[in-house]
Amino acid sequence: MIAAHDLMARLRPMHLCVDGCGCITQVGRSLDRIAGETLLGRPFFDRVAIFGPARPVCMAELAGLETQPIRLSLTEMPDIVLRGCVIPDGDGGAIIDLSFGIAIVDAVRKFNLSAQDFAPCDLAVELLFLQEAKSSAISASFSLNARLNGEKLAAESDAVTDELTGLGNRRALDNAMSRLGRSNTAYAMLHLDLDRFKQVNDTLGHDVGDALLKHAARVMRRVLRKEDVVARMGGDEFVIVCPGLVDRARLDQLARQIIGDLSASVDPPLAKVPIGASIGIAMARSDRKLAPDHALKRADIALYAAKRSGRGCHRFWQPELGETLCDMAPGE
């Protein structure tokens, strides 16, 4: 036959036995592991603080709490609040059965507890399983949301990105122009066209033409500011929007740098390619409202003026250029 104290140790790993003198005579295996060797043989009221529903100071007062759930903590772990019940043993002592209650999650984490540390029928184990399932579900939900958000951002980025050059596409330009149209920001718009690009494609092949377009994209990304928007409009045409930049001297320097850097290619596929570009520039000052689509039209007009001037240069839109585009074949 299993002795009573052995049976108690097996069934209730979180218990204390106290004799009539208030000395702790037995400690459950889980409680002993948590508290260390500081309970067995020690005065109960020195090692345990009961703070509800009463604060007993002797065994008689402790026995008076028989029918009431009590709240207590051990001096070794005052931050963990335990729940318990008192069972008088008939000899002036008592058995106190304990549980972690709502503190179980913190206790499991702090003391690295497992199911073996609880009584087989303790509902705390079910709570642990539920908590673990909840944590796993939340983690899976966060992971799924992160993946979906990543896919959404990637799709949104792809929708406004030119596949070949990695620059913005026409939709990206439309978005930038829409933002400008709703603000009073001054800006400049540059329309860039590669010179004789059609001849490069026709004589050297589309692979060389693609390399030229990628080279042009690298140059523009390198010399432009972070806030500038550059978009490939298709073929060899690019549009640059420069918010807040309407200084003619700075724009003149920017256009010269782009054209010069484009012509200085040393990439093997382009070593023998005559690279050039023409740029048209239109400015919209905040004190004179100009719709972005109208500014783009003026940049187009200035671009063709640069083409007529011999290519490889830039021109600003001037009133004498008018508001009507001349006829010129694409890629010239």
Side-chain angles (χ1 to χ4, degrees):
M1 175 180 289
I2 301 175
H5 68 277
D6 292 333
L7 183 62
M8 178 65 71
R10 291 189 183 186
L11 293 177
R12 308 306 300 175
M14 289 283 292
H15 81 279
L16 289 171
C17 291
V18 187
D19 64 17
C21 296
C23 183
I24 300 173
T25 60
Q26 185 171 325
V27 181
R29 66 177 189 279
S30 298
L31 190 60
D32 185 60
R33 184 168 75 83
I34 292 170
E37 299 178 357
T38 59
L39 294 178
L40 190 62
R42 304 299 181 87
F44 173 79
F45 293 103
D46 288 349
R47 292 291 180 228
V48 177
I50 299 176
F51 42 85
R55 297 176 182 269
V57 294
C58 65
M59 292 304 296
E61 291 180 0
L62 181 63
L65 299 176
E66 177 181 3
T67 61
Q68 305 177 60
I70 61 174
R71 291 183 298 119
L72 58 93
S73 66
L74 304 180
T75 55
E76 290 76 15
M77 47 182 195
D79 54 328
I80 301 293
V81 178
L82 302 172
R83 292 177 62 85
C85 64
V86 179
I87 307 170
D89 62 5
D91 293 324
I95 300 170
I96 303 172
D97 193 24
L98 300 172
S99 70
F100 287 106
I102 62 175
I104 185 171
V105 175
D106 291 335
V108 167
R109 186 182 301 113
K110 182 174 183 179
F111 301 112
N112 195 28
L113 301 179
S114 65
Q116 286 70 35
D117 293 305
F118 299 89
C121 59
D122 195 334
L123 291 178
V125 178
E126 297 296 326
L127 178 61
L128 287 177
F129 288 143
L130 289 175
Q131 177 69 20
E132 183 66 25
K134 178 182 177 182
S135 298
S136 298
I138 291 174
S139 176
S141 176
F142 277 135
S143 177
L144 177 61
N145 286 336
R147 182 167 60 81
L148 292 177
N149 286 335
E151 292 175 354
K152 178 182 178 184
L153 291 174
E156 291 174 349
S157 177
D158 289 345
V160 294
T161 302
D162 176 63
E163 184 176 355
L164 176 65
T165 63
L167 300 177
N169 57 17
R170 186 179 292 272
R171 179 177 292 183
L173 178 63
D174 290 342
N175 292 341
M177 292 173 64
S178 178
R179 290 193 297 271
L180 286 174
R182 296 192 300 269
S183 71
N184 292 320
T185 304
Y187 60 91
M189 196 167 292
L190 291 71
H191 192 176
L192 181 149
D193 186 83
L194 298 178
D195 295 333
R196 300 183 177 87
F197 179 74
K198 186 175 184 300
Q199 296 175 23
V200 172
N201 265 345
D202 291 345
T203 59
L204 299 175
H206 289 281
D207 288 343
V208 175
D210 288 349
L212 177 54
L213 292 171
K214 292 176 182 178
H215 169 65
R218 288 193 296 271
V219 167
M220 286 183 280
R221 276 196 295 262
R222 186 170 63 245
V223 303
L224 293 173
R225 306 171 302 170
K226 289 192 301 183
E227 60 267 36
D228 296 334
V229 177
V230 54
R232 181 187 175 206
M233 300 296 288
D236 62 327
E237 292 186 58
F238 302 86
V239 172
I240 303 168
V241 180
C242 300
L245 180 54
V246 289
D247 182 272
R248 188 182 180 99
R250 289 178 59 193
L251 289 168
D252 180 81
Q253 181 183 14
L254 175 63
R256 290 179 186 276
Q257 183 177 1
I258 292 174
I259 293 172
D261 288 0
L262 275 172
S263 302
S265 171
V266 293
D267 293 343
L270 306 176
K272 298 181 180 181
V273 177
I275 302 173
S278 302
I279 300 176
I281 306 172
M283 293 182 289
R285 301 184 182 278
S286 57
D287 56 346
R288 284 182 285 177
K289 191 68 175 177
L290 182 66
D293 56 344
H294 197 177
L296 180 57
K297 181 180 178 181
R298 287 183 174 182
D300 291 345
I301 294 170
L303 168 63
Y304 289 118
K307 291 280 190 182
R308 291 195 303 271
S309 298
R311 302 182 177 86
C313 62
H314 67 282
R315 291 290 182 268
F316 287 87
W317 180 87
Q318 301 290 347
E320 56 266 25
L321 293 177
E323 302 284 355
T324 304
L325 286 173
C326 62
D327 293 328
M328 183 173 286
E332 291 188 0

